[in-house]
Amino acid sequence: MQLLVWIFVMRIVMLIASAAYFINSFIAKAKYGNADEMNYEAPLTSLVWITSIVSIGLTYVVSSLIIPDSAAAPRSGGSWPRSFPAARSRAPSSPSW
């Protein structure tokens, strides 16, 4: 059930993250509004960077609020620590029950 709620909340959060487009538009107009020449890839590159940073940040914050037990430090023996190469050597191969 938590995963289903997380999916729908993330959908709303990504709509909020689309405000990065307006932030980038404001920056691009301030920077290139009166320019005679400009590199047309520069505003697109900054849009990608701004959107990525905002999306990743919001995803982390909202995920830690919605699913606090999963966003905290991973429990040993679960599948979460095994997904990281550095943690594979430390994670036990079988649960210690």
Side-chain angles (χ1 to χ4, degrees), residues 18-84:
S18 67
Y21 175 80
F22 299 107
I23 295 168
N24 186 63
S25 175
F26 177 74
I27 293 170
K29 284 180 184 177
K31 202 173 200 181
Y32 303 109
N34 296 326
D36 294 331
E37 293 181 12
M38 67 174 276
N39 178 3
Y40 289 101
E41 290 183 3
L44 297 174
T45 303
S46 66
L47 175 63
V48 169
W49 277 103
I50 292 170
T51 306
S52 298
I53 292 168
V54 168
S55 297
I56 292 169
L58 283 175
T59 299
Y60 180 78
V61 169
V62 172
S63 294
S64 65
L65 293 173
I66 292 177
I67 312 173
D69 57 335
S70 295
R75 296 177 294 274
S76 62
S79 61
W80 178 254
R82 292 187 188 137
S83 63
F84 295 102

Side-chain angles (χ1 to χ4, degrees), residues 2-13:
Q2 276 185 333
L3 182 60
L4 186 61
V5 171
W6 181 84
I7 289 171
F8 285 105
V9 170
M10 282 298 116
R11 184 175 176 201
I12 294 167
V13 168

